[in-house]
């Protein structure tokens, strides 16, 4: 009996310690990962990664009202949950595809990706005004932020493996799709008067963005237009990565990424312009309320902005202690920003699994993932909870979903 138990333990540890390491679709950490040779001849990867964060609605509210036909919203409850912070709504999305082939010790690849970073903030003072009301004969003014940094990129990759070392270089052309000006945002004003029994409120949006597309092209974006702008307005960058192997698996790597050889030219400007007003006079006797306004995109003339990618330095290390532990770090000198994380990965009876804990651009992220690997076909899915407050990381106010699909042999 003891021998049987011992055998089960050994077999269990065996399947748990089967090496997973880093995947080729994680080449944003180190470009050399594109050709880590999980499939010896060729590999096609597709990776959409969607991250959405908001700090207003509690997860308990979502789950409690999933099957209800009528939902009661308590603004006070939402507002108190902010704890005096501004309301934030942001998305950080990434989609990548690449095709890699291996010829003896050489690795070749072509790739394309798009990133969308967008953020909107509503000042806490405005939310307090909506929830708690206003003081008569007082004017309330404030500003809110609207930010975006979205790009598209295509490029090629070359690597060379010698002994247990791999050196990879990635060369890309990139263009800005929607990059916000530092003054992009909106302002509001709220005025009441007891002398005229009136309420007057206005919301003015003035959000300039730089791009290689005009407003009509943004609204009807297609692949042909994207490649046309890449040919004419592209910036150029390279990434250089080094990986050290052990037992045919990457265990250590460093890289320098986003080295801008020439900036992209954003020669088109787009301005989101909007004005909403609320006018109500003589409320006591007439009780009339009028709301007017709209928002539209306008083209800005004489734009000539040069856009560069933020330089980054990265490193990762893999240590096997029952399962694979993989900490990594990314440092952006020009942004004074450090991203980092750690993954725990293994197999549970041939089913791969992973657990991740990361801090990316001031957002805490805890993820779990699983998948299936038939060698010719590999599918990986991970979901995550995201928060700016580590103590609320499991509140599900922010969610993330990532799918990785690989084909090859």
């Amino acid at each position: 009996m003891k021998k049987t138990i011992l055998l089960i333990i050994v077999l269990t540890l065996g399947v748990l310690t089967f090496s997973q390491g880093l995947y080729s679709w994680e080449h944003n950490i180190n470009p050399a990962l594109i050709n880590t040779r999980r499939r010896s001849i060729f590999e096609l990867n597709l990776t959409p990664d969607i991250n959405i964060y908001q700090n207003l609605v509690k997860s308990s509210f979502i789950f409690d009202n999933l099957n209800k036909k009528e939902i009661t919203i308590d603004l006070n409850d939402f507002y108190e949950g902010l704890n005096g912070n501004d309301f934030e709504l942001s998305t950080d999305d990434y989609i990548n595809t690449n095709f890699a082939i291996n010829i003896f010790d050489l690795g070749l690849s072509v790739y394309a990706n798009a990133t969308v970073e967008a953020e909107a903030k509503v000042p806490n003072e405005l939310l307090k005004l909506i929830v708690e009301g206003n003081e008569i004969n007082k004017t309330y003014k404030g500003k809110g932020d609207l930010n975006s940094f979205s790009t598209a990129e295509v490029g090629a990759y070359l690597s060379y493996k010698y002994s247990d070392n791999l050196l990879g270089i990635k060369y890309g052309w990139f263009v800005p799709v929607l990059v916000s000006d530092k003054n992009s945002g909106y302002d509001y004003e709220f005025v009441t008067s007891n002398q005229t029994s009136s309420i007057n409120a206005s919301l003015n949006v003035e959000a300039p963005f730089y791009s290689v597309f005009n407003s009509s092209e943004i609204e009807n974006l297609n692949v042909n237009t994207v490649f046309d702008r890449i040919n004419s307005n592209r910036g150029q960058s390279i990434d250089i990565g080094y990986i050290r192997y052990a037992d045919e698996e990457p265990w250590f790597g460093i890289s320098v990424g986003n080295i801008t050889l020439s900036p992209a030219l954003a020669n088109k400007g787009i301005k989101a312009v909007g004005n909403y007003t609320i006018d109500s006079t003589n409320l006591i006797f007439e009780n009339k309320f009028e709301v007017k306004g709209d928002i539209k995109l306008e083209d800005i003339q004489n734009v000539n902005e040069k856009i560069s990618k933020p330089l980054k330095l990265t490193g990762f290390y893999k240590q096997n202690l029952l399962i694979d532990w993989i900490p990594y770090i990314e440092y952006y000198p020009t942004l004074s920003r450090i991203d980092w994380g750690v993954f725990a990965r293994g197999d549970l009876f041939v089913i791969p699994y992973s657990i991740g804990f990361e801090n990316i651009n001031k957002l805490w992220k805890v993820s779990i993932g699983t998948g299936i690997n038939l060698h010719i076909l590999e599918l990986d899915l991970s979901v995550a909870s995201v928060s700016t407050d580590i103590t609320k990381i499991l509140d599900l106010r922010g969610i993330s979903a990532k799918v990785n699909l690989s084909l090859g042999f």
Side-chain angles (χ1 to χ4, degrees), residues 3 33 37 59 102 112 128 135 142 158-159 163 169 205 208 247 256 292 339 382 400:
K3 290 183 178 181
L33 287 171
R37 297 175 182 261
S59 59
N102 298 306
K128 184 177 181 181
E135 183 180 333
L158 172 67
S159 71
S163 185
I169 299 177
V205 178
D247 298 325
V256 182
K292 296 180 179 178
D339 295 344
S382 64
S400 172

PDB file of all heavy atoms in Angstrom, residues 3 33 37 59 102 112 128 135 142 158-159 163 169 205 208 247 256 292 339 382 400:
ATOM      1  N   LYS A   3       3.897   1.527  -1.065  1.00  0.00           N
ATOM      2  CA  LYS A   3       4.561   1.650  -2.363  1.00  0.00           C
ATOM      3  C   LYS A   3       3.606   2.249  -3.399  1.00  0.00           C
ATOM      4  O   LYS A   3       4.012   3.047  -4.239  1.00  0.00           O
ATOM      5  CB  LYS A   3       5.065   0.284  -2.827  1.00  0.00           C
ATOM      6  CG  LYS A   3       6.235  -0.259  -2.012  1.00  0.00           C
ATOM      7  CD  LYS A   3       6.713  -1.582  -2.576  1.00  0.00           C
ATOM      8  CE  LYS A   3       7.906  -2.098  -1.789  1.00  0.00           C
ATOM      9  NZ  LYS A   3       8.406  -3.390  -2.327  1.00  0.00           N
ATOM     10  N   LEU A  33      11.805  35.034 -28.147  1.00  0.00           N
ATOM     11  CA  LEU A  33      10.842  33.967 -27.859  1.00  0.00           C
ATOM     12  C   LEU A  33      10.038  33.563 -29.087  1.00  0.00           C
ATOM     13  O   LEU A  33       9.392  32.508 -29.088  1.00  0.00           O
ATOM     14  CB  LEU A  33       9.885  34.422 -26.748  1.00  0.00           C
ATOM     15  CG  LEU A  33      10.474  34.492 -25.335  1.00  0.00           C
ATOM     16  CD1 LEU A  33       9.490  35.160 -24.383  1.00  0.00           C
ATOM     17  CD2 LEU A  33      10.838  33.100 -24.834  1.00  0.00           C
ATOM     18  N   ARG A  37      11.058  27.350 -30.745  1.00  0.00           N
ATOM     19  CA  ARG A  37      11.033  26.007 -31.330  1.00  0.00           C
ATOM     20  C   ARG A  37      10.172  25.000 -30.557  1.00  0.00           C
ATOM     21  O   ARG A  37      10.566  23.866 -30.323  1.00  0.00           O
ATOM     22  CB  ARG A  37      12.457  25.458 -31.471  1.00  0.00           C
ATOM     23  CG  ARG A  37      13.291  26.287 -32.423  1.00  0.00           C
ATOM     24  CD  ARG A  37      14.733  25.796 -32.438  1.00  0.00           C
ATOM     25  NE  ARG A  37      15.556  26.632 -33.313  1.00  0.00           N
ATOM     26  CZ  ARG A  37      15.875  26.308 -34.551  1.00  0.00           C
ATOM     27  NH1 ARG A  37      15.449  25.193 -35.072  1.00  0.00           N
ATOM     28  NH2 ARG A  37      16.640  27.110 -35.265  1.00  0.00           N
ATOM     29  N   SER A  59     -18.270  43.903  -8.056  1.00  0.00           N
ATOM     30  CA  SER A  59     -18.604  42.605  -8.641  1.00  0.00           C
ATOM     31  C   SER A  59     -19.865  42.020  -8.012  1.00  0.00           C
ATOM     32  O   SER A  59     -20.642  41.337  -8.679  1.00  0.00           O
ATOM     33  CB  SER A  59     -17.436  41.629  -8.453  1.00  0.00           C
ATOM     34  OG  SER A  59     -17.152  41.465  -7.061  1.00  0.00           O
ATOM     35  N   ASN A 102      11.621  27.533 -39.072  1.00  0.00           N
ATOM     36  CA  ASN A 102      12.969  27.216 -38.627  1.00  0.00           C
ATOM     37  C   ASN A 102      13.720  26.486 -39.738  1.00  0.00           C
ATOM     38  O   ASN A 102      13.204  25.515 -40.305  1.00  0.00           O
ATOM     39  CB  ASN A 102      12.925  26.337 -37.375  1.00  0.00           C
ATOM     40  CG  ASN A 102      12.254  27.045 -36.214  1.00  0.00           C
ATOM     41  OD1 ASN A 102      12.645  28.143 -35.845  1.00  0.00           O
ATOM     42  ND2 ASN A 102      11.236  26.412 -35.652  1.00  0.00           N
ATOM     43  N   ALA A 112       2.522  40.926 -37.294  1.00  0.00           N
ATOM     44  CA  ALA A 112       1.716  42.147 -37.332  1.00  0.00           C
ATOM     45  C   ALA A 112       0.989  42.257 -35.997  1.00  0.00           C
ATOM     46  O   ALA A 112       0.551  41.240 -35.432  1.00  0.00           O
ATOM     47  CB  ALA A 112       0.708  42.116 -38.478  1.00  0.00           C
ATOM     48  N   LYS A 128     -19.569  63.549  -6.903  1.00  0.00           N
ATOM     49  CA  LYS A 128     -20.126  63.993  -5.612  1.00  0.00           C
ATOM     50  C   LYS A 128     -21.281  64.949  -5.832  1.00  0.00           C
ATOM     51  O   LYS A 128     -22.297  64.901  -5.122  1.00  0.00           O
ATOM     52  CB  LYS A 128     -19.031  64.660  -4.785  1.00  0.00           C
ATOM     53  CG  LYS A 128     -19.480  65.071  -3.393  1.00  0.00           C
ATOM     54  CD  LYS A 128     -18.330  65.668  -2.598  1.00  0.00           C
ATOM     55  CE  LYS A 128     -18.790  66.054  -1.193  1.00  0.00           C
ATOM     56  NZ  LYS A 128     -17.668  66.657  -0.406  1.00  0.00           N
ATOM     57  N   GLU A 135     -25.032  73.129  -3.975  1.00  0.00           N
ATOM     58  CA  GLU A 135     -25.400  74.282  -3.161  1.00  0.00           C
ATOM     59  C   GLU A 135     -25.942  75.376  -4.070  1.00  0.00           C
ATOM     60  O   GLU A 135     -25.325  75.725  -5.069  1.00  0.00           O
ATOM     61  CB  GLU A 135     -24.164  74.777  -2.404  1.00  0.00           C
ATOM     62  CG  GLU A 135     -24.433  75.934  -1.475  1.00  0.00           C
ATOM     63  CD  GLU A 135     -23.179  76.389  -0.759  1.00  0.00           C
ATOM     64  OE1 GLU A 135     -22.262  75.552  -0.577  1.00  0.00           O
ATOM     65  OE2 GLU A 135     -23.096  77.584  -0.398  1.00  0.00           O
ATOM     66  N   GLY A 142     -14.871  72.092 -13.378  1.00  0.00           N
ATOM     67  CA  GLY A 142     -13.829  71.088 -13.282  1.00  0.00           C
ATOM     68  C   GLY A 142     -13.418  70.568 -14.644  1.00  0.00           C
ATOM     69  O   GLY A 142     -13.992  70.946 -15.669  1.00  0.00           O
ATOM     70  N   LEU A 158      14.539  37.706 -37.265  1.00  0.00           N
ATOM     71  CA  LEU A 158      15.609  36.770 -37.602  1.00  0.00           C
ATOM     72  C   LEU A 158      16.299  36.340 -36.317  1.00  0.00           C
ATOM     73  O   LEU A 158      16.602  37.166 -35.447  1.00  0.00           O
ATOM     74  CB  LEU A 158      16.628  37.422 -38.543  1.00  0.00           C
ATOM     75  CG  LEU A 158      17.909  36.621 -38.843  1.00  0.00           C
ATOM     76  CD1 LEU A 158      17.571  35.367 -39.646  1.00  0.00           C
ATOM     77  CD2 LEU A 158      18.916  37.488 -39.583  1.00  0.00           C
ATOM     78  N   SER A 159      16.538  35.028 -36.185  1.00  0.00           N
ATOM     79  CA  SER A 159      17.257  34.536 -35.013  1.00  0.00           C
ATOM     80  C   SER A 159      18.291  33.499 -35.425  1.00  0.00           C
ATOM     81  O   SER A 159      18.186  32.872 -36.486  1.00  0.00           O
ATOM     82  CB  SER A 159      16.283  33.914 -33.998  1.00  0.00           C
ATOM     83  OG  SER A 159      15.774  32.685 -34.485  1.00  0.00           O
ATOM     84  N   SER A 163      24.606  26.388 -29.939  1.00  0.00           N
ATOM     85  CA  SER A 163      24.682  25.645 -28.690  1.00  0.00           C
ATOM     86  C   SER A 163      23.404  25.877 -27.889  1.00  0.00           C
ATOM     87  O   SER A 163      22.319  25.641 -28.390  1.00  0.00           O
ATOM     88  CB  SER A 163      25.925  26.068 -27.903  1.00  0.00           C
ATOM     89  OG  SER A 163      26.080  25.269 -26.747  1.00  0.00           O
ATOM     90  N   ILE A 169      16.578  39.191 -33.469  1.00  0.00           N
ATOM     91  CA  ILE A 169      16.413  40.610 -33.787  1.00  0.00           C
ATOM     92  C   ILE A 169      15.093  40.799 -34.522  1.00  0.00           C
ATOM     93  O   ILE A 169      14.807  40.100 -35.496  1.00  0.00           O
ATOM     94  CB  ILE A 169      17.574  41.138 -34.654  1.00  0.00           C
ATOM     95  CG1 ILE A 169      18.903  40.999 -33.912  1.00  0.00           C
ATOM     96  CG2 ILE A 169      17.345  42.604 -35.025  1.00  0.00           C
ATOM     97  CD1 ILE A 169      20.103  41.435 -34.729  1.00  0.00           C
ATOM     98  N   VAL A 205     -16.397  69.083 -24.585  1.00  0.00           N
ATOM     99  CA  VAL A 205     -15.339  68.136 -24.927  1.00  0.00           C
ATOM    100  C   VAL A 205     -14.405  68.774 -25.947  1.00  0.00           C
ATOM    101  O   VAL A 205     -14.851  69.292 -26.965  1.00  0.00           O
ATOM    102  CB  VAL A 205     -15.922  66.831 -25.507  1.00  0.00           C
ATOM    103  CG1 VAL A 205     -14.792  65.878 -25.898  1.00  0.00           C
ATOM    104  CG2 VAL A 205     -16.860  66.163 -24.512  1.00  0.00           C
ATOM    105  N   PRO A 208      -8.118  66.629 -28.773  1.00  0.00           N
ATOM    106  CA  PRO A 208      -7.328  66.456 -29.994  1.00  0.00           C
ATOM    107  C   PRO A 208      -6.492  65.182 -29.957  1.00  0.00           C
ATOM    108  O   PRO A 208      -5.941  64.808 -28.919  1.00  0.00           O
ATOM    109  CB  PRO A 208      -6.437  67.700 -30.006  1.00  0.00           C
ATOM    110  CG  PRO A 208      -6.324  68.105 -28.574  1.00  0.00           C
ATOM    111  CD  PRO A 208      -7.568  67.664 -27.889  1.00  0.00           C
ATOM    112  N   ASP A 247      18.176  22.189 -21.058  1.00  0.00           N
ATOM    113  CA  ASP A 247      17.277  21.059 -21.355  1.00  0.00           C
ATOM    114  C   ASP A 247      16.255  21.439 -22.418  1.00  0.00           C
ATOM    115  O   ASP A 247      15.065  21.130 -22.303  1.00  0.00           O
ATOM    116  CB  ASP A 247      16.566  20.599 -20.080  1.00  0.00           C
ATOM    117  CG  ASP A 247      17.543  20.094 -19.029  1.00  0.00           C
ATOM    118  OD1 ASP A 247      18.550  19.494 -19.419  1.00  0.00           O
ATOM    119  OD2 ASP A 247      17.290  20.322 -17.831  1.00  0.00           O
ATOM    120  N   VAL A 256      16.566  44.369 -25.259  1.00  0.00           N
ATOM    121  CA  VAL A 256      16.366  45.805 -25.389  1.00  0.00           C
ATOM    122  C   VAL A 256      15.325  45.979 -26.482  1.00  0.00           C
ATOM    123  O   VAL A 256      15.521  45.525 -27.613  1.00  0.00           O
ATOM    124  CB  VAL A 256      17.668  46.542 -25.765  1.00  0.00           C
ATOM    125  CG1 VAL A 256      17.417  48.053 -25.845  1.00  0.00           C
ATOM    126  CG2 VAL A 256      18.771  46.245 -24.757  1.00  0.00           C
ATOM    127  N   LYS A 292     -29.543  69.799 -24.771  1.00  0.00           N
ATOM    128  CA  LYS A 292     -29.069  69.925 -26.142  1.00  0.00           C
ATOM    129  C   LYS A 292     -27.610  69.500 -26.224  1.00  0.00           C
ATOM    130  O   LYS A 292     -26.861  69.617 -25.257  1.00  0.00           O
ATOM    131  CB  LYS A 292     -29.176  71.377 -26.627  1.00  0.00           C
ATOM    132  CG  LYS A 292     -30.583  71.924 -26.714  1.00  0.00           C
ATOM    133  CD  LYS A 292     -30.538  73.370 -27.200  1.00  0.00           C
ATOM    134  CE  LYS A 292     -31.944  73.953 -27.312  1.00  0.00           C
ATOM    135  NZ  LYS A 292     -31.909  75.374 -27.745  1.00  0.00           N
ATOM    136  N   ASP A 339       7.285  47.610 -15.109  1.00  0.00           N
ATOM    137  CA  ASP A 339       6.276  46.550 -15.091  1.00  0.00           C
ATOM    138  C   ASP A 339       6.958  45.258 -14.673  1.00  0.00           C
ATOM    139  O   ASP A 339       8.121  45.017 -15.035  1.00  0.00           O
ATOM    140  CB  ASP A 339       5.631  46.366 -16.467  1.00  0.00           C
ATOM    141  CG  ASP A 339       4.835  47.586 -16.919  1.00  0.00           C
ATOM    142  OD1 ASP A 339       4.535  48.442 -16.066  1.00  0.00           O
ATOM    143  OD2 ASP A 339       4.533  47.680 -18.119  1.00  0.00           O
ATOM    144  N   SER A 382      -6.628  32.331 -20.784  1.00  0.00           N
ATOM    145  CA  SER A 382      -6.441  32.810 -19.421  1.00  0.00           C
ATOM    146  C   SER A 382      -7.381  33.984 -19.161  1.00  0.00           C
ATOM    147  O   SER A 382      -7.672  34.776 -20.059  1.00  0.00           O
ATOM    148  CB  SER A 382      -4.990  33.247 -19.179  1.00  0.00           C
ATOM    149  OG  SER A 382      -4.648  34.360 -19.989  1.00  0.00           O
ATOM    150  N   SER A 400      -9.845  40.749 -17.567  1.00  0.00           N
ATOM    151  CA  SER A 400      -8.920  40.540 -18.678  1.00  0.00           C
ATOM    152  C   SER A 400      -9.139  39.148 -19.243  1.00  0.00           C
ATOM    153  O   SER A 400      -9.396  38.197 -18.501  1.00  0.00           O
ATOM    154  CB  SER A 400      -7.471  40.703 -18.198  1.00  0.00           C
ATOM    155  OG  SER A 400      -6.561  40.323 -19.206  1.00  0.00           O
TER     156      SER A 400
END
